[in-house]
Amino acid sequence: MSSPMIEDAADGGPAALGAEVGQLAEPARIPLGSHPVVLLADADERIRQGLTAQLAKYQVSVVHCADGAAALLEAGLRKPDVLLVSADLPLIDGATVLRLVRRRLSIPVVLGVGPEDTAQVAPALAAGASACVARPYRPREVAQLLSLADRGQRGWDQPLVCGPLTLDPSTYEVRMHGVSTARLPLREFQLLHLLMLHAEKVITRDQIRTELWGEGARRSNTITVHIRRLRERLGDDPHHPEIIQTVRGVGYRLVPPAG
C-alpha cells in the first residue's frame, strides 16, 4: 500500500502536495448528518481560515486551533467526527498528538503532510493514523474523510479474510498468502474493503460510486482506473483477472483467490 494518501483519478492524485486550497465543485456526500465537525490543528492561520470557509459549503463545521496542546484539549472536550492535524505543529507535534488521541478517543485521526513531511507518513500510520492527506488541503478530500467516521460506526475496523487475502482496517494492511502488499492509497483500500465485504457477490458500478465517491466520480473511467490499479497491486492478471472479476455491463465481483 503506498501511503494511504487520498488520491484518485478524478481529483488529481498526490499532485495536491504543492496545491493551494482549491475551489469547490459539487458537494461531496456527507454521511454523518447535516453538521459533522472536523477539528483542524494547523499553525498556518491562512490554511485554517480558508479551509473553514470552504468546508462551510459542505455543511461541515470546523473547530480550529494553532498548536498541538490546544488540539489535545479540544479533542477531549468536543469529541469531533474527525481530527485533522498537521505534522508540523508547535508545542506538541502532529505525530505525538495522534498517538495521545488514539489512546483516549475512538475517532479517525488524519495527519496532514506537506512535501517536507513525507518521512512522517509511515511512522504516523504505524501509530494508528486513519490516513494521511496532502497539505495544503483540498476541501473535497477533507469532506470525504468523514466517511471514515461513518464506517467506524458500522464496524469498519473489523479485519476481513477472503481465502489467503486479508485486510485489516485498523492498520491499513493488506496481506496475500501472509505477505504484506505495498500500502494502498486510501481510495483503493476502501474499494478493496467494499469488494471483500461483499465477496462472491456482484457490486454494481453505481453502488461503488455511491459508497466511495457520492457525486464525485464525474469521470466515466474513475472506477475503471481504480479497479485496474487494485488488480495490479494484488497480482491479478489485468487481461484475465481471477480475483476482481468484471461482470459486463453491471459491475465487479471479488472471488477469494486460491489458497
Side-chain angles (χ1 to χ4, degrees), residues 2-144:
S2 56
S3 62
M5 288 277 194
I6 289 197
E7 60 177 59
D8 70 53
D11 290 338
L17 282 170
E20 295 295 325
V21 174
Q23 297 297 314
L24 293 176
E26 298 176 27
R29 181 174 64 96
I30 302 298
L32 291 180
S34 58
H35 294 290
V37 176
V38 172
L39 174 56
L40 170 65
D42 199 295
D44 189 325
E45 183 177 2
R46 181 187 63 85
I47 288 179
R48 295 198 310 269
Q49 297 294 342
L51 189 60
T52 298
Q54 294 286 359
L55 285 179
K57 300 177 183 180
Y58 286 100
Q59 291 79 52
V60 176
S61 299
V62 179
V63 175
H64 51 79
C65 49
D67 61 69
L72 289 173
L73 177 63
E74 293 291 345
L77 288 174
R78 298 179 183 267
K79 296 181 176 56
D81 295 301
V82 172
L83 171 58
L84 176 57
V85 56
S86 168
D88 184 19
L89 276 179
L91 300 184
I92 302 175
D93 64 75
T96 302
V97 171
L98 188 157
R99 286 194 297 271
L100 293 174
V101 169
R102 269 280 178 245
R103 294 175 188 171
R104 296 159 45 196
L105 298 174
S106 211
I107 61 172
V109 183
V110 180
L111 192 71
V113 295
E116 69 282 1
D117 304 317
T118 53
Q120 298 193 42
V121 170
L125 294 173
S130 302
C132 294
V133 295
R135 178 182 177 273
Y137 308 108
R138 290 188 292 180
R140 175 176 291 279
E141 292 180 345
V142 177
Q144 288 169 340

Side-chain angles (χ1 to χ4, degrees), residues 9-10 17 22 46 53 68 137 140 144 153 171 174 177 200 216 220 227:
L17 282 170
R46 181 187 63 85
Y137 308 108
R140 175 176 291 279
Q144 288 169 340
Q153 294 176 359
T171 61
V174 174
H177 298 287
E200 303 279 10
S220 60
I227 290 289

Side-chain angles (χ1 to χ4, degrees), residues 213-259:
W213 281 275
E215 298 301 320
R218 296 181 301 279
R219 295 184 183 177
S220 60
N221 69 336
T222 296
I223 295 173
T224 303
V225 168
H226 281 74
I227 290 289
R228 186 186 72 237
R229 290 176 180 170
L230 196 50
R231 283 170 173 159
E232 291 172 354
R233 296 180 197 278
L234 296 178
D236 202 11
D237 186 339
H239 303 293
H240 303 285
E242 296 183 355
I243 301 174
I244 301 177
Q245 299 178 356
T246 300
V247 180
R248 297 291 179 187
V250 181
Y252 303 92
R253 174 176 54 218
L254 185 139
V255 177

